[in-house]
């Protein structure tokens, strides 16, 4: 498979792992990872999938996640059901990252793309990490798919860039 583009169907067989938010932001409280069938879930929702090189990394933590937290209501007003952040980190690190950012519900999920399995299928990796990209999936159809190739840039994948395309 090659890079996704607007008009493509979201591929079948895409899964991630995550720990469902419990409402508790205590970083020492850990749940167990479960599988998330993205292909099935994305078929019935409007979702913004955001890939980042790593949880807690400077650009991701200082710019990327805060941009989505600040604009969450705008996404909801444009019909977005869910925002999903993925990285190559394991599900426990991703869950801790969500908690560290005060996320208590499923409006924004933090998931593991273990070994960059999905990102590799679309060719959007850099070494053993995902590239920085955003894909909007509207009931199984890709309506937006862009990378940020410039280091530290979130022009195409940050909340403002994605909102401008909805």
């Amino acid at each position: 498979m090659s890079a996704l583009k607007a008009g493509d169907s979201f591929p079948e067989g895409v899964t991630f792992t995550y720990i469902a938010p419990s409402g508790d932001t205590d970083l020492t409280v850990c749940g167990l990872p479960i599988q998330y069938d993205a292909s099935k879930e994305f078929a019935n929702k409007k979702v913004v999938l955001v890939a980042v090189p790593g949880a807690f990394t400077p650009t991701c933590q200082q710019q990327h996640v805060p941009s989505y937290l600040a604009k969450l209501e705008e996404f909801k007003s444009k019909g977005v059901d869910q925002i999903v952040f993925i990285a190559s980190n394991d599900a426990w690190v991703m869950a801790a990252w969500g908690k560290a950012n005060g996320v208590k519900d499923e409006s924004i999920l933090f998931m593991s793309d273990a070994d960059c399995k999905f990102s590799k299928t679309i060719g959007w990796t850099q070494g053993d990490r995902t590239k920085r990209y955003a894909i909007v999936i509207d009931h199984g159809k890709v309506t937006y798919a862009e990378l940020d190739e410039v280091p530290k840039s979130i022009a195409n994948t940050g909340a403002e860039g994605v909102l401008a395309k909805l």
Side-chain angles (χ1 to χ4, degrees):
M1 178 183 296
S2 60
L4 291 174
K5 61 188 180 312
D8 289 346
S9 292
F10 192 76
E12 291 295 320
V14 177
T15 60
F16 303 118
T17 55
Y18 81 115
I19 297 171
S22 65
D24 187 346
T25 57
D26 180 350
L27 295 176
T28 65
V29 175
C30 300
L32 293 175
I34 55 176
Q35 191 171 37
Y36 182 88
D37 186 337
S39 300
K40 179 181 174 186
E41 294 291 331
F42 296 175
N44 301 308
K45 297 177 183 170
K46 187 173 186 177
V47 178
V48 177
L49 177 65
V50 184
V52 295
F56 297 106
T57 56
T59 302
C60 306
Q61 178 59 35
Q62 295 166 359
Q63 295 180 55
H64 230 154
V65 171
S67 78
Y68 281 89
L69 291 170
K71 303 282 186 181
L72 185 57
E73 292 307 314
E74 288 181 54
F75 279 100
K76 288 179 181 178
S77 75
K78 295 211 177 221
V80 173
D81 298 301
Q82 209 161 49
I83 296 166
V84 176
F85 272 87
I86 62 169
S88 60
N89 302 95
D90 66 36
W92 286 284
V93 170
M94 295 302 286
W97 194 28
K99 288 179 177 190
N101 282 285
V103 177
K104 296 180 179 182
D105 61 24
E106 294 197 358
S107 56
I108 301 179
L109 294 175
F110 292 80
M111 298 190 178
S112 175
D113 182 12
D115 300 319
C116 299
K117 185 178 175 183
F118 169 67
S119 298
K120 285 178 183 174
T121 67
I122 60 172
W124 287 355
T125 58
Q126 54 187 28
D128 61 352
R129 294 180 180 263
T130 64
K131 284 189 175 181
R132 190 179 313 281
Y133 63 84
I135 302 171
V136 176
I137 305 102
D138 191 348
H139 294 82
K141 290 288 183 189
V142 174
T143 60
Y144 177 79
E146 288 293 333
L147 288 163
D148 270 314
E149 297 279 15
V150 176
K152 300 180 184 177
S153 172
I154 63 166
N156 296 323
T157 63
E160 288 189 17
V162 175
L163 275 167
K165 301 298 181 176
L166 292 178

